Amino acid sequence: MYKRVLIVDDHDAILHSITKVLHSYKISQIDSVQYCDDAFLKYKRALLDGNAYDLIITDLCFKKDYRNTHLASGEDLIEAIRATDKGISIIVYSMNDQLQKVRYLVKSCAVNGFVCKDRRGSLELTSALMDTSKGVTYLSPQIVDAMSRKEDLEILDYDITLLKLLSQGKSQEEISHHFKTRAIKPSSLSSIEKRLNRLRIQFKAENAIHLVSQAKDLGLI
Amino acid sequence: MYKRVLIVDDHDAILHSITKVLHSYKISQIDSVQYCDDAFLKYKRALLDGNAYDLIITDLCFKKDYRNTHLASGEDLIEAIRATDKGISIIVYSMNDQLQKVRYLVKSCAVNGFVCKDRRGSLELTSALMDTSKGVTYLSPQIVDAMSRKEDLEILDYDITLLKLLSQGKSQEEISHHFKTRAIKPSSLSSIEKRLNRLRIQFKAENAIHLVSQAKDLGLI
DNA sequence: TTTTGCTTTACGGGAAGCCGTAATGATCAT
DNA sequence: ATGATCATTACGGCTTCCCGTAAAGCAAAA
């Protein structure tokens, strides 16, 4: 089991509840902060002082307030940590269950656990602690269900940027030009049309607006 | 101060924290539930038993799970209650600070308080309890700030439904037809085009896709 | 090299969206 | 009633999108 844990979340009620869960185990140090920037500082400081954390539990979404922040989200924090430190365990504890995000965090950021902050959140957090401390990745059941359906697994980065550009108001010709200047392979107007057509069919969307709308709902963009 | 309070929120940590805040006051009954449907049943039952609640504190957004629900969101719950009961106090305690929602809830649902669930949430909740128990509406400062900027105050319900239909993949002609069958006033294709044009200018959007995309970001739809 | 199969590109016709102008309706004050 | 003002509707042109077909490019197998 873990020795030193840092908890990062906006809301004091959540901090409190996580802390309570952790108290069931004999963890020598439990710290908590409400800002990602503070989290990173605390993390660095602990490293330098020779009593590094072995687990970070963090939310993804943080409200903005009067403080201007460097790391604005849990993702930023995780990226900053993982840039140098592959060893420390990271558990994400978040409302956000958008597949795209989860996949990115697990695949690219080597996150050790992803727990959906919902009715059974506290319970699942316990499971996540057990699993990850043994080196096993933990994902909330909902997530696993959703990820096992592989329909949208085939959506490439290319498609994502395509949808993003579209949602930014670019015309198909502008998108074509965008890809041409960046030497991204299928860049002709025709190919872009074809790709969008494929996506429309996949998403059962009536038109481009509907497509972008759904992509936004799914959190793809 | 209130006598009987019902708390409605997904997450046990939040329920816990609200309950703790309420314990500071001498409130004879504090109940909490995790589903809107349960909340409504409990509310109705208390009414019939002659010990009605005088305050409901509720979140807006509830996760879906295996249970299929009738009232899926805090808005649904509030609407159901307000349909017959104008007397009971309602405080919304939510992450969601999208202006459109807040305005609707305060204006149309006569919500007595709206507290943003963020770092200072617990503190503000106290203020909200004090104010609303004296008959004063309480809104989180962030909300007040945002509402005072009147840029988007002029966006009507009409525009919202327009954007919604658009985001659902309806063509302008279909939208025209939709309005015609429902006897909603500006229903001609031409009017709809004009309206959308106005919205595009207001939102500085390049085209309809961009417009819907921004409307979604702002939480208008 | 040729064949085969796939992806990318090119083009053309029809539908939908965008935009200006003008006509019609409705409301209100004179 | 008359005119002024504003919202709604109608229409025509031009652009962009949508969709099918066909050609060109490319890679692996024969």
Side-chain angles (χ1 to χ4, degrees):
Chain A
M1 184 49 67
Y2 298 106
K3 293 271 176 289
R4 301 173 194 280
V5 182
L6 178 61
I7 315 172
V8 197
D9 198 299
D10 276 85
H11 202 276
D12 47 2
I14 304 293
L15 289 179
H16 208 265
S17 120
I18 300 177
T19 308
K20 222 167 91 187
V21 171
L22 288 174
H23 269 309
S24 321
Y25 307 93
K26 46 174 188 174
I27 292 171
S28 59
Q29 193 176 343
I30 304 174
D31 294 333
S32 62
V33 291
Q34 295 192 297
Y35 293 89
C36 289
D37 286 339
D38 296 349
F40 194 64
L41 286 177
K42 232 173 160 56
Y43 158 79
K44 276 290 184 194
R45 157 61 41 147
L47 259 187
L48 294 173
D49 290 355
N51 47 7
Y53 294 104
D54 46 8
L55 171 65
I56 290 187
I57 302 176
T58 181
D59 195 0
L60 290 181
C61 179
F62 289 77
K63 289 242 174 183
K64 274 196 264 201
D65 59 9
Y66 61 95
R67 273 179 62 163
N68 41 4
T69 52
H70 180 227
L71 305 171
S73 69
E75 286 129 289
D76 292 347
L77 175 62
I78 291 169
E79 282 167 6
I81 290 173
R82 277 287 185 254
T84 58
D85 185 345
K86 311 291 183 194
I88 188 171
S89 277
I90 300 178
I91 294 178
V92 176
Y93 186 50
S94 171
M95 292 275 198
N96 189 323
D97 53 1
Q98 294 169 343
L99 276 190
Q100 210 61 26
K101 284 257 171 71
V102 182
R103 271 229 304 291
Y104 168 70
L105 288 168
V106 175
K107 294 261 166 72
S108 304
C109 297
V111 155
N112 307 81
F114 196 108
V115 180
C116 287
K117 195 189 279 176
D118 62 5
R119 295 184 185 78
R120 308 175 39 80
S122 308
L123 273 170
E124 287 191 16
L125 194 55
T126 310
S127 310
L129 283 171
M130 304 298 289
D131 282 9
T132 59
S133 69
K134 291 180 207 138
V136 179
T137 302
Y138 179 89
L139 300 180
S140 281
Q142 309 96 297
I143 296 287
V144 177
D145 287 358
M147 286 187 67
S148 68
R149 279 174 291 148
K150 69 170 197 304
E151 305 142 8
D152 43 14
L153 283 183
E154 292 160 22
I155 291 166
L156 292 280
D157 284 351
Y158 180 89
D159 297 297
I160 302 289
T161 54
L162 189 52
L163 289 169
K164 267 198 190 121
L165 290 169
L166 208 56
S167 78
Q168 289 163 14
K170 304 264 189 291
S171 75
Q172 298 185 354
E173 246 170 34
E174 286 172 318
I175 294 176
S176 164
H177 180 258
H178 174 101
F179 282 149
K180 278 198 176 87
T181 58
R182 259 153 262 248
I184 298 175
K185 274 301 311 246
S187 64
S188 73
L189 184 58
S190 184
S191 294
I192 287 166
E193 285 177 8
K194 182 160 286 187
R195 211 66 165 227
L196 283 176
N197 190 37
R198 210 163 53 83
L199 286 171
R200 265 198 304 277
I201 293 167
Q202 266 186 63
F203 281 78
K204 300 192 219 317
E206 298 295 329
N207 54 38
I209 298 178
H210 197 194
L211 177 62
V212 169
S213 166
Q214 293 195 53
K216 272 190 128 53
D217 287 340
L218 291 172
L220 260 66
I221 53 176
Chain B
M1 185 47 68
Y2 299 105
K3 293 273 176 289
R4 300 174 193 280
V5 183
L6 178 60
I7 315 173
V8 197
D9 198 299
D10 277 83
H11 202 275
D12 48 2
I14 304 292
L15 290 179
H16 207 265
S17 120
I18 300 177
T19 308
K20 222 167 92 186
V21 170
L22 289 173
H23 270 309
S24 323
Y25 307 94
K26 45 173 189 173
I27 293 170
S28 58
Q29 193 176 345
I30 303 174
D31 294 333
S32 61
V33 291
Q34 294 192 297
Y35 292 89
C36 289
D37 286 339
D38 296 348
F40 194 66
L41 286 177
K42 230 171 161 57
Y43 158 80
K44 275 291 184 194
R45 156 62 40 145
L47 260 185
L48 293 173
D49 290 354
N51 47 6
Y53 294 104
D54 46 8
L55 171 64
I56 289 186
I57 302 176
T58 181
D59 194 359
L60 291 181
C61 181
F62 290 77
K63 289 242 173 182
K64 273 196 263 202
D65 60 10
Y66 62 95
R67 273 180 61 164
N68 41 3
T69 53
H70 180 227
L71 305 171
S73 69
E75 286 129 287
D76 292 348
L77 174 63
I78 291 170
E79 282 167 5
I81 291 173
R82 277 287 186 252
T84 59
D85 184 345
K86 310 291 183 194
I88 188 171
S89 277
I90 300 178
I91 294 178
V92 176
Y93 186 51
S94 172
M95 292 276 197
N96 188 323
D97 53 359
Q98 294 168 344
L99 277 189
Q100 210 59 28
K101 285 257 170 69
V102 182
R103 272 230 303 293
Y104 168 72
L105 288 167
V106 174
K107 294 262 166 73
S108 304
C109 297
V111 154
N112 306 82
F114 195 108
V115 180
C116 287
K117 195 189 281 177
D118 61 6
R119 295 185 184 79
R120 306 175 39 81
S122 307
L123 274 169
E124 286 190 18
L125 193 55
T126 311
S127 311
L129 283 170
M130 304 298 289
D131 281 10
T132 59
S133 69
K134 292 179 205 140
V136 179
T137 301
Y138 179 89
L139 299 180
S140 281
Q142 308 97 297
I143 297 286
V144 176
D145 286 358
M147 285 187 69
S148 67
R149 280 174 291 148
K150 71 168 195 305
E151 305 142 9
D152 44 13
L153 283 182
E154 291 160 23
I155 291 166
L156 292 281
D157 283 351
Y158 180 88
D159 296 298
I160 303 290
T161 54
L162 189 51
L163 289 170
K164 267 196 191 120
L165 291 169
L166 209 55
S167 78
Q168 289 163 14
K170 303 263 189 294
S171 74
Q172 297 186 355
E173 247 170 33
E174 286 172 318
I175 294 175
S176 165
H177 181 257
H178 175 101
F179 283 148
K180 277 197 176 88
T181 58
R182 259 152 262 250
I184 298 175
K185 273 303 308 260
S187 64
S188 73
L189 185 59
S190 182
S191 294
I192 287 166
E193 286 177 6
K194 182 161 285 187
R195 212 64 163 230
L196 284 175
N197 190 37
R198 210 162 54 83
L199 287 171
R200 266 198 304 276
I201 293 167
Q202 266 186 63
F203 281 76
K204 301 192 218 320
E206 298 295 330
N207 54 38
I209 298 178
H210 197 193
L211 177 62
V212 168
S213 166
Q214 293 195 55
K216 270 189 129 55
D217 286 341
L218 291 172
L220 260 68
I221 54 177

